[in-house]
Amino acid sequence: EMLKSTVFGSVTVSYPRGWGIAPSRSNTVAVFTNRKAFFEVHPPDPKAKTAKAIAESALQKQGKGASILAQGQDKVGNYDAYWFAVSSGGRKMRVVGIDGPTRIAVVAYVNAASFDDYAGTFDIMQDSITFGR
C-alpha cells in the first residue's frame, strides 16, 4: 500500500506504508525514508533548463566524484527526465532530473542495505510522481 504526499506545493510522491518523511537539514529537500533507503526530492538548479542539466547539476551536488554506471532519457509523469546510475565509495545512487511544470531532481540511495533490494521500490516511487498546476 502506498501513501501520498505533496511537496513543493504541486509535486505528489507516493511512498510505501512504513516509510516516513524525514526533516532535511535545510528544509528545502523532501526526504522519504524507512531509515535504510532514501528517496529525496530536491529543487533544481535554477539555471538548469533541461532534464539532463537538472540531473547533471544534482549529480555534482550529491555525488561529486562518483563513477557513472549508466545514464539515459526517460519520462516521469509524461515529462522529460534524465537519469544517472552512479557509484560513489562503493555505494550506488540514482540521480534523476525531471523537467516538469515544477522542475525537480530526485536522488535515491541506500545506507544500511543493498541498492538492488530497493531498486523496484524506487522505480514505483519515481513512476508515481505527478505534477499539479
Side-chain angles (χ1 to χ4, degrees):
E1 184 188 358
M2 300 294 273
L3 305 174
K4 288 184 188 292
S5 181
T6 300
V7 298
F8 304 139
S10 62
V11 180
T12 301
V13 179
S14 295
Y15 60 98
R17 180 173 286 293
W19 286 44
I21 302 170
S24 74
R25 290 174 297 285
S26 58
N27 275 341
T28 58
V29 178
V31 181
F32 299 88
T33 183
N34 66 354
R35 294 201 177 107
K36 290 181 185 169
F38 296 82
F39 186 90
E40 302 181 349
V41 181
H42 293 253
D45 174 340
K47 294 189 231 41
K49 299 299 184 208
T50 65
K52 187 173 183 184
I54 293 165
E56 287 171 340
S57 175
L59 182 59
Q60 281 303 308
K61 274 193 193 133
Q62 304 301 317
K64 203 164 187 66
S67 341
I68 295 171
L69 304 173
Q71 61 183 299
Q73 292 177 308
D74 201 355
K75 290 279 187 191
V76 173
N78 291 325
Y79 297 99
D80 287 338
Y82 198 89
W83 60 270
F84 289 99
V86 302
S87 176
S88 179
R91 184 172 87 169
K92 284 187 189 172
M93 179 186 301
R94 178 189 300 169
V95 178
V96 186
I98 305 168
D99 189 14
T102 301
R103 290 185 174 114
I104 58 170
V106 169
V107 179
Y109 60 94
V110 175
N111 273 348
S114 162
F115 186 92
D116 296 340
D117 292 347
Y118 286 95
T121 300
F122 291 150
D123 290 344
I124 291 166
M125 293 173 74
Q126 182 176 313
D127 291 345
S128 81
I129 294 171
T130 58
F131 296 90
R133 293 279 172 216

